[in-house]
């Protein structure tokens, strides 16, 4: 069976001068431009379609000035002799071939040059840079990587190609430390577009934790747990990109934070901010409103938005009339931690004891009152019965 990749090199176009490439194309086009004619000489329609080369496809090819014989040799007469052959793409693209051989696609026989670039309508690098052919290439990738398909809601849908994040030829798995999408390299990869955010994030507490959490067998740092280090995809996702204002398939950004900071999730849920957010409020402060998204620092660090030096300013960004006393509120106070939050711990237990004691006292009082009322009722009924007798 003749497959598209067999004729991957047959790219050329009837353009330019009236001699050279154009003349050579005329020798092939009368036959290879007629599908019905080709169908008479091959076994199936699929085979005929594979070698059917239209001038329209060739006209947009990156190989526009390459003659048919530039890739196909020995086809100077018909029937084509047995010694005819098609040159591999590596004959001209040796560097790309070397990179491709190192990537994961080299292990898949269906992921060859033609699978991504096409056969005769090969797109040029310049076209991709200008946005032409963008949809076709993404469709080619998603044809195999169906689970990684980019939705229309993704902010990258119309601006970022797969190859912008994944090396186009030496494509490696995200778990490979040399991959552009490995957690250790995401800041550099995403930073090519988001350079300002990258500059902020590399000084962030998360940035310092990534090299530690990326080590095999390590999943805990300073009481925070999580299955994925807090690099770009750890918070924003990989293909279901989540912005600060939106909500994605895996929830909100606050829920992403909770995946690692489980110890703070419960206290946040108990707070006014947490309860308002749970009820659907978009005005209530969430994690990044107080801690920032890419400049997270320990509370002891003066750069932190919740440090003693900056906490009042942070509160006033929402509560304009906030005072120092207002800013002294502890949103993550744990009422079960007597050592760290003794006042909250004992206040919680005092109020809980008072509540339980009050309900217990009045519960017993009500039971005794009902019992006494029942006894009095029976006495009155007995007395009335005696009088009637």
């Amino acid at each position: 069976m003749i497959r598209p990749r067999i004729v991957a090199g047959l790219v050329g176009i009837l353009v330019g001068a009236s001699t050279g490439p154009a003349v050579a194309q005329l020798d092939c086009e009368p036959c290879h431009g007629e599908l019905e004619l080709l169908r008479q000489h091959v076994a199936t329609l699929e085979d005929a379609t594979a070698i059917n080369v239209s001038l329209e496809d060739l006209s947009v090819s990156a190989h526009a000035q390459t003659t048919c014989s530039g890739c196909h040799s020995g086809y100077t007469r018909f029937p084509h002799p047995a010694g005819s052959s098609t040159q591999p793409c590596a004959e001209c693209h040796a560097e790309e071939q070397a990179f491709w051989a190192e990537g994961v696609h080299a292990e898949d026989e269906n992921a060859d040059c033609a699978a991504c670039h096409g056969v005769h309508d090969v797109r040029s690098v310049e076209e991709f840079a200008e946005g032409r052919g963008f949809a076709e290439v993404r469709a080619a990738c998603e044809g195999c990587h169906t689970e990684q398909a980019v939705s229309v809601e993704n902010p990258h849908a119309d601006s970022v190609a797969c190859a912008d994040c994944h090396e186009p030829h030496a494509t490696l798995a995200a778990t490979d430390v040399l991959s552009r999408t490995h957690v250790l390299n995401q800041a550099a990869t995403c930073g090519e577009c988001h350079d300002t955010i990258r500059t902020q994030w590399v000084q962030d507490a998360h940035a310092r934790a990534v090299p530690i959490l990326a080590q095999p067998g390590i999943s805990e740092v300073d009481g925070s747990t999580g299955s994925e280090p807090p690099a770009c995809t750890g918070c924003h996702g990989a293909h279901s990109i989540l912005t600060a204002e939106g909500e994605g398939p895996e929830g909100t950004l606050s829920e992403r934070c909770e995946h690692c900071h489980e110890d703070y999730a419960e206290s946040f849920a108990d707070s006014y901010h947490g309860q308002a957010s749970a009820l659907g409020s978009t005005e209530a402060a969430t994690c990044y409103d107080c801690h920032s998204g890419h400049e997270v620092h320990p509370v002891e660090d003066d750069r932190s938005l919740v440090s003693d030096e900056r906490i009042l300013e942070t509160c006033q960004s929402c509560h304009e009339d906030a005072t120092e006393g207002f800013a002294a509120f502890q949103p993550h106070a744990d009422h079960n931690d007597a050592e760290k939050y003794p006042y909250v711990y004992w206040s919680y237990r005092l109020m809980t004891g008072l509540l339980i004691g009050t309900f217990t006292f009045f519960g017993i009082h009500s039971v005794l009152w009902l019992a006494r009322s029942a006894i009095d009722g029976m006495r009155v009924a007995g007395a009335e019965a005696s009088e009637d007798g």
Side-chain angles (χ1 to χ4, degrees), residues 81-160:
S84 304
S85 64
T86 298
Q87 304 301 322
C89 300
E91 286 289 327
C92 296
H93 304 285
E95 183 177 358
E96 288 78 3
Q97 170 68 21
F99 285 134
W100 179 83
E102 298 175 357
V104 293
H105 289 152
E107 302 172 2
D108 185 351
E109 63 178 10
N110 294 315
D112 58 5
C113 305
C116 296
H117 293 281
V119 179
H120 301 106
D121 56 342
V122 178
R123 301 287 183 177
S124 66
V125 174
E126 291 74 16
E127 285 184 296
F128 292 132
E130 296 171 3
R132 290 180 290 169
F134 187 90
E136 290 87 340
V137 172
R138 169 159 287 168
C141 295
E142 293 179 351
C144 295
H145 303 282
T146 55
E147 294 184 1
Q148 288 76 33
V150 176
S151 66
V152 294
E153 293 81 11
N154 189 318
H156 289 166
D158 298 321
S159 58
V160 181

Side-chain angles (χ1 to χ4, degrees), residues 36-73:
E36 290 300 323
L37 174 62
L38 295 171
R39 179 66 184 86
Q40 299 175 31
H41 296 279
V42 294
T44 67
L45 178 60
E46 180 183 2
D47 293 342
T49 303
I51 59 176
N52 178 226
V53 186
S54 70
L55 292 180
E56 182 179 357
D57 287 341
L58 293 172
S59 68
V60 295
S61 172
H63 295 162
Q65 297 303 312
T66 303
T67 64
C68 299
S69 59
C71 296
H72 301 276
S73 59

Side-chain angles (χ1 to χ4, degrees), residues 2 8 41 71 75 77 98 120 142 184 186 203 207 220 243 253 258 264 317 345-346 353 373 379 387:
I2 299 175
H41 296 279
C71 296
Y75 292 92
R77 60 186 176 82
H120 301 106
E142 293 179 351
L184 294 178
Q186 287 179 12
Q203 304 177 53
E220 184 172 345
T243 63
L253 278 177
E258 293 171 5
Y264 291 112
S317 64
Y345 176 86
W346 288 111
S373 297
R379 286 178 177 175
E387 292 177 0

